[in-house]
Amino acid sequence: MARIPGRSRAPSAPPSSDRRPQDRRERPTPERRHGRHGQPRPKRRPWSALGTRSVAGQVFVLQVVIVLLLVLAVGVETVLQARNDTATEARNRSLAVAETYANSPGIVPALRSPDPTALLQPSAEAARVKAGVDFIVVLSTDSIRYTHPMPDRIGKKFVGTTAPALAGQSITEEVDGTIGHLVQAVVPVTDSDGTVVGMVSAGIRTSRVSDTTQRQLPILLGAAAGALVLATAGSALVSRRLRRQTRGLGPAAMTSLYEHHDAVLHAVREGVLILDGDGRLLLANDEAGRLLELPPDAEGRQLTDLGLDRRTVELLASTQPVTDEVLAAGERLLVVNIRPTDRNGGPPGTVATLRDSTELRALSGKADLARRRLKLLYEAGLAIGTTLDVTRTAQELADAAVPGFADYVTVDLAEPVLRGDEPEPTPTMRRVGLSSIHPDPPFYPPGGDVPLILGTPRARAMELGEPVAESDLSDALTAWLDHDPHRVGAIRRQGVHALLAVPLRARGVVLGIATFWRSERPEPFGQDDVWLGEELVARAAVCIDNARRYTREHTMAVTLQHSLLPGGLPEQDALDVAYRYLPAQAGVGGDWFDVIPLPGARVALVVGDVVGHGVHAAATMGRLRTAVHNFASLDLPPDELLGLMDDLVNRIDQEQDAATGEAPITGATCLYAIYDPVTLRCTVARAGHLLPAVVRPDGAVEFPEVPAGPPLGLVGLPFETAELQLAEGSKLVLYTDGLVEDRERDIDVGLELLRVALAGADRTPEQTCADVLATLLPANPTDDIALLVAMARALPADQVAEWEVPPDPAAVREIRAGVTARLEAWGLDELAFTTELILSELITNAIRYGLPPIRVRLIRDRTLICEVSDGSSTSPHLRYAASTDEGGRGLFLVAQFAERWGTRYTAAGKVIWAEQRLP
């Protein structure tokens, strides 16, 4: 493995473990305060450490030398470049001036004139001055000067190369003339046919061009000096940083330190890993490579790319300090310690040390096993008993033990436990829980009876009431072989070899048995497993017993509730009624409904809801339902009936408070409606209940405004009624809040869903009930639901007869004659005599003791109904007349001949009615 030198420090005394880094920086060691022999160490100047003895000093000197060489090279390059630029500039300027003047207008005629000098000397001098050159000389083809800045040179031969110009080409050259070193250009002057008629030479001294460069040279030298200063300062800072990093050591000391560090790092029997802040492995000594089985090229790679398991990667990549963490690496147990490297301003990363502790495997295995068992018990405690359902709780026990404790788990309960009862001495066992590591377990499936065969471990466990562990199932399977050989063969094929049967005991009663089976695990159930199984089953047994008790109480409450609800609908012809009643899953409530036939072919509809749940709510509901029946027999209007119910609920609260000393908890809502098929009117009053819904024959839905009275129990507040005129075929829908209100749904949303579900024509009440529940029924109802749908029928007009009676006793005869004729038309001749007798007595009493108007109404329904109404509120009473009394026997005769009779009060007076059974 390649060895990469790590970051080391100068040897010093290790700091105390409880001393903070800040303390170590603020308290220098004695060796730092004094020399090695105890004498005071002189104070260092900031730059004294940059001496050439240390690595930092040598690096500083080397950097300064390099900078000087760079500055010198830049200067030389600048000078050479300036000289080259000077020559190039002189050539370009002299050539440009010569070509410009050679091509100027009038130069060719001037050359051919008798005196070229007189014509060209002034213009040449003017052009020289403007162009900034030293001379412009016009030459003849014989190289004789026509012009010159010095007049005495005119007419003399030109010094320079002219042959190329005579050949029609321009030429530039450097020469040393009388005015110094210069650059001159010679350019031919040609006429229109290309003949060279003369030449023009222009020249400039190089010293004039280099003056500009020399003026920029101080700036260049200053910039170089500044760069030298900055580079020197930067080198000093880098060297100072390097000095701190190397502790001022020299090359020999650093070489020795590296050799010692490398020897110690790879010789110790403790693995060392150094990782950077990105999880990259910077260094791993030989021991770390051996313990973790790292590849040869591990250094420089990401920790996640080294083939380590997830737990190892997560631990080594941790940026938090780790102390003596036990890590399983293959067959080894490693003790890991991790510390960050950035505590004292170092680079981000961590240093991990690994120590082989394989000898602690046995102890660690036991601790790990204990930890897993505690975790199993903890998770089972959370998973078992989430509901108060016996079957579900038993299945939760089976699921909690697989695969952590057993490969298969079966749970069998005594059959009475499923009903909420205590088990019998020799109960029938029912399988209610099964969990398996395989999809096709070889055991009886849940839902069927499971036999307990004598002599088997399960039978012994049930008989003794104690756990029974069996490590060899040969004898047990032999006992089962005669009973079910096919299932025994399947058990053997799947390798089931051990079982643990634990009775489900709670509060001294054995409710069933839980059996744990092993097939994949070779070890049998030991004593520790028996204790764990007992603890696991004991917790589940308490939950199952609680669920059993709840089942019993819930069954009793549901039985009570259903016994108090109507078993069926009474026979009547005014309404076509359908209903649905669904109790809550969590417990019984106090919702109820009723259909009560009333005199005069009328029908009362009732829907109510008692606040709360449980047996108390169900019992209160029964009392209120009975009270409604009793008050309805008095034929009271809806508002008066709700007033009496309000007083009754208040008395129930007072009785409950006096009996238990608790605050009154009873409260109820109620809606009471009376429908008359003769007038098609429905009188409605409600006490805190939801509005009824009316579905018109065309399918339109509305919620008619009915005055909202207070809930029952608030004595003293009146109730109001509303009159609804229903068309034949209309449906009146009454319901409780459990239908439209839910934890996840607001009541306004529920009412809108109800409107949508009710909309539509040509549906029977039964179909309407089904559609409403399909739309609004929650998945897990938390409250009772009562739904009543009544379709209005109209009594045919030919089955009703009415007469106005004048307040004259003689009018009785005419009324009797009309009644007899109507009975003959209905085919009820047999009832003519008794009907005449009843009506004669009732009409006579109305004329004698009542007030006009007096009316007689005859209704043919399921019974023959005779009604006599008047404007007074006095009611006759049935009594025995003495032998000396002249009257008092009429009502006695009415009661004898009529099936039922009674009085009901109206806003305009009263109605006395009598019913006779139809033949």
Side-chain angles (χ1 to χ4, degrees):
M1 180 181 297
R3 299 179 178 180
I4 299 176
R7 178 184 171 208
S8 304
R9 304 187 178 201
S12 61
S16 174
S17 60
D18 58 349
R19 185 176 300 171
R20 296 176 298 177
Q22 182 66 24
D23 297 336
R24 293 199 293 268
R25 290 195 299 269
E26 293 178 355
R27 300 179 182 179
T29 61
E31 185 177 338
R32 292 183 181 179
R33 293 196 301 265
H34 303 281
R36 295 187 179 273
H37 300 287
Q39 297 183 3
R41 190 186 292 266
K43 294 184 179 179
R44 290 186 176 182
R45 296 179 181 178
W47 301 99
S48 62
L50 298 181
T52 57
R53 292 185 179 181
S54 66
V55 174
Q58 295 180 6
V59 170
F60 172 73
V61 172
L62 179 61
Q63 288 179 332
V64 170
V65 171
I66 292 175
V67 170
L68 288 175
L69 293 177
L70 290 176
V71 171
L72 181 61
V74 170
V76 171
E77 191 274 339
T78 302
V79 172
L80 294 177
Q81 184 66 33
R83 294 185 61 183
N84 181 64
D85 293 344
T86 298
T88 301
E89 175 66 19
R91 290 174 181 274
N92 293 338
R93 187 183 300 184
S94 60
L95 180 62
V97 172
E99 288 180 346
T100 302
Y101 192 79
N103 295 318
S104 61
I107 189 172
V108 173
L111 289 174
R112 288 179 177 178
S113 65
D115 190 3
T117 300
L119 296 176
L120 297 176
Q121 177 68 13
S123 62
E125 286 300 304
R128 177 185 66 81
V129 174
K130 291 182 179 180
V133 296
D134 289 320
F135 63 86
I136 296 178
V137 177
V138 181
L139 307 175
S140 66
T141 57
D142 297 328
S143 301
I144 301 299
R145 300 187 183 101
Y146 288 141
T147 64
H148 197 278
M150 298 178 182
D152 58 342
R153 302 290 179 91
I154 297 175
K156 296 181 179 180
K157 193 170 182 66
F158 176 75
V159 179
T161 303
T162 58
L166 294 175
Q169 298 179 356
S170 300
I171 182 175
T172 59
E173 60 182 346
E174 294 185 22
V175 298
D176 292 323
T178 58
I179 59 176
H181 186 77
L182 54 84
V183 176
Q184 65 182 9
V186 180
V187 178
V189 178
T190 59
D191 59 5
S192 58
D193 58 358
T195 303
V196 176
V197 297
M199 294 175 287
V200 176
S201 175
I204 185 171
R205 290 172 296 171
T206 57
S207 59
R208 293 186 62 182
V209 179
S210 62
D211 289 342
T212 303
T213 304
Q214 291 176 358
R215 287 194 299 269
Q216 296 177 353
L217 186 59
I219 300 176
L220 296 177
L221 294 177
L228 178 60
V229 172
L230 291 177
T232 304
S235 299
L237 293 176
V238 171
S239 299
R240 188 176 183 183
R241 175 65 178 174
L242 182 60
R243 178 183 62 83
R244 284 201 295 262
Q245 297 291 333
T246 61
R247 302 293 191 227
L249 299 176
M254 290 195 64
T255 301
S256 176
L257 181 63
Y258 168 76
E259 292 175 351
H260 295 163
H261 164 268
D262 188 67
V264 172
L265 181 66
H266 295 282
V268 296
R269 302 304 298 172
E270 185 167 324
V272 178
L273 297 174
I274 300 179
L275 295 93
D276 64 8
D278 297 329
R280 187 182 302 277
L281 181 63
L282 301 180
L283 182 143
N285 67 349
D286 296 338
E287 184 68 7
R290 184 183 69 84
L291 295 177
L292 296 179
E293 299 180 358
L294 297 176
D297 58 343
E299 294 177 344
R301 295 170 58 183
Q302 288 290 335
L303 193 63
T304 55
D305 299 336
L306 301 180
L308 302 177
D309 60 88
R310 183 179 59 85
R311 168 63 179 158
T312 303
V313 172
E314 291 179 353
L315 182 61
L316 295 180
S318 174
T319 59
Q320 301 298 323
V322 175
T323 302
D324 293 340
E325 179 76 17
V326 178
L327 175 67
E331 297 181 355
R332 297 185 179 91
L333 286 179
L334 306 180
V335 177
V336 182
N337 289 273
I338 299 176
R339 295 293 183 270
T341 59
D342 56 355
R343 284 187 169 184
N344 299 323
T350 55
V351 175
T353 60
L354 312 173
R355 185 171 67 255
D356 192 356
S357 300
T358 308
E359 65 275 6
L360 301 177
R361 175 181 295 274
L363 180 60
S364 177
K366 292 182 179 180
D368 185 62
L369 179 60
R371 180 184 61 82
R372 285 189 279 110
R373 287 176 173 173
L374 288 176
K375 182 180 179 182
L376 176 64
L377 287 176
Y378 172 74
E379 293 178 349
L382 296 178
I384 299 174
T386 58
T387 63
L388 289 174
D389 182 82
V390 174
T391 303
R392 178 59 185 165
T393 304
Q395 184 60 44
E396 289 172 346
L397 168 61
D399 294 337
V402 175
F405 182 63
D407 299 325
Y408 306 93
V409 177
T410 59
V411 182
D412 305 326
L413 296 178
E415 196 274 334
V417 175
L418 301 177
R419 302 193 304 267
D421 301 330
E422 292 189 356
E424 303 168 354
T426 57
T428 300
M429 303 301 294
R430 180 74 58 83
R431 176 143 299 168
V432 292
L434 173 61
S435 185
S436 168
I437 61 174
H438 296 297
D440 53 344
F443 303 100
Y444 289 105
D449 294 341
V450 179
L452 282 177
I453 303 173
L454 295 178
T456 60
R458 300 175 69 252
R460 293 202 309 271
M462 285 292 292
E463 181 180 358
L464 299 175
E466 298 178 355
V468 173
E470 190 69 41
S471 59
D472 187 2
L473 295 182
S474 300
D475 296 338
L477 293 178
T478 301
W480 287 330
L481 189 59
D482 296 336
H483 182 77
D484 194 342
H486 174 73
R487 198 165 299 278
V488 170
I491 292 175
R492 286 175 172 172
R493 284 192 299 272
Q494 294 202 10
V496 179
H497 61 85
L499 71 79
L500 172 62
V502 184
L504 284 157
R505 179 188 295 273
R507 300 177 179 91
V509 178
V510 177
L511 306 175
I513 186 170
T515 309
F516 305 91
W517 314 76
R518 282 182 178 175
S519 61
E520 301 293 334
R521 300 185 181 189
E523 68 275 7
F525 290 98
Q527 185 59 44
D528 292 341
D529 295 323
V530 173
W531 292 336
L532 177 60
E534 280 187 299
E535 181 65 24
L536 191 63
V537 171
R539 297 187 181 190
V542 174
C543 296
I544 290 176
D545 189 58
N546 291 337
R548 177 189 67 84
R549 292 171 178 265
Y550 171 78
T551 301
R552 181 182 61 187
E553 295 176 1
H554 182 69
T555 302
M556 293 173 57
V558 170
T559 302
L560 173 63
Q561 182 189 40
H562 282 280
S563 67
L564 297 174
L565 289 171
L569 297 178
E571 295 182 356
Q572 47 82 31
D573 295 330
L575 296 167
D576 182 7
V577 181
Y579 69 92
R580 293 290 188 277
Y581 183 85
L582 300 175
Q585 292 185 357
V588 297
D591 292 13
W592 90 92
F593 66 94
D594 248 320
V595 178
I596 306 172
L598 297 178
R602 296 170 304 135
V603 176
L605 301 176
V606 188
V607 170
D609 184 3
V610 176
V611 176
H613 293 83
V615 177
H616 175 72
T620 303
M621 177 268 292
R623 297 178 65 177
L624 297 183
R625 179 170 177 262
T626 302
V628 170
H629 273 270
N630 293 336
F631 295 147
S633 65
L634 300 177
D635 212 352
L636 298 175
D639 55 342
E640 293 184 18
L641 185 141
L642 291 181
L644 295 176
M645 293 289 293
D646 183 40
D647 183 65
L648 173 64
V649 172
N650 185 64
R651 289 201 306 272
I652 293 175
D653 285 341
Q654 294 176 357
E655 293 172 1
Q656 180 71 13
D657 187 20
T660 62
E662 300 176 354
I665 58 172
T666 303
T669 64
C670 183
L671 186 146
Y672 187 83
I674 298 177
Y675 173 69
D676 188 348
V678 177
T679 61
L680 298 181
R681 290 182 180 177
C682 184
T683 306
V684 185
R686 62 188 180 112
H689 205 79
L690 297 172
L691 287 171
V694 175
V695 184
R696 299 298 179 185
D698 60 356
V701 181
E702 63 180 13
F703 293 91
E705 289 295 331
V706 177
L712 300 179
L714 304 177
V715 179
L717 298 178
F719 297 94
E720 299 181 58
T721 61
E723 294 283 344
L724 306 179
Q725 188 68 38
L726 301 180
E728 185 175 6
S730 298
K731 290 187 283 290
L732 183 65
V733 181
L734 310 181
Y735 50 92
T736 56
D737 57 356
L739 179 66
V740 295
E741 191 174 14
D742 189 58
R743 293 177 180 177
E744 301 178 355
R745 181 177 62 202
D746 189 69
I747 189 171
D748 293 334
V749 177
L751 289 175
E752 185 60 30
L753 291 175
L754 178 61
R755 181 193 299 274
V756 173
L758 292 174
D762 301 330
R763 284 190 299 179
T764 63
E766 282 289 339
Q767 185 62 41
T768 301
C769 287
D771 294 344
V772 168
L773 290 183
T775 303
L776 281 86
L777 183 64
N780 298 307
T782 58
D783 195 5
D784 293 3
I785 296 176
L787 174 63
L788 194 65
V789 179
M791 180 181 290
R793 295 174 177 173
L795 199 64
D798 58 355
Q799 293 185 216
V800 181
E802 295 186 80
W803 294 272
E804 290 283 345
V805 180
D808 183 2
V812 176
R813 179 180 300 176
E814 296 179 3
I815 299 300
R816 286 190 307 188
V819 169
T820 302
R822 179 54 61 95
L823 291 177
E824 290 178 356
W826 288 344
L828 300 177
D829 297 342
E830 300 179 8
L831 299 179
F833 174 74
T834 57
T835 303
E836 290 180 4
L837 183 61
I838 292 172
L839 286 176
S840 296
E841 179 60 31
L842 296 180
I843 294 173
T844 301
N845 284 342
I847 294 174
R848 182 176 299 176
Y849 304 109
L851 297 175
I854 302 173
R855 292 185 179 87
V856 174
R857 186 168 68 170
L858 201 62
I859 302 173
R860 179 189 175 187
D861 193 31
R862 291 181 177 272
T863 60
L864 181 62
I865 305 169
C866 303
E867 295 181 348
V868 177
S869 62
D870 66 84
S872 69
S873 58
T874 59
S875 176
H877 299 282
L878 182 64
R879 64 184 179 87
Y880 287 97
S883 58
T884 58
D885 291 342
E886 295 182 359
R889 297 175 180 84
L891 287 180
F892 183 78
L893 294 175
V894 172
Q896 290 297 317
F897 288 108
E899 188 76 18
R900 294 190 307 159
W901 76 280
T903 304
R904 85 171 167 271
Y905 294 93
T906 65
K910 68 176 182 297
V911 177
I912 302 177
W913 54 270
E915 293 183 359
Q916 301 177 75
R917 188 187 302 272
L918 295 179

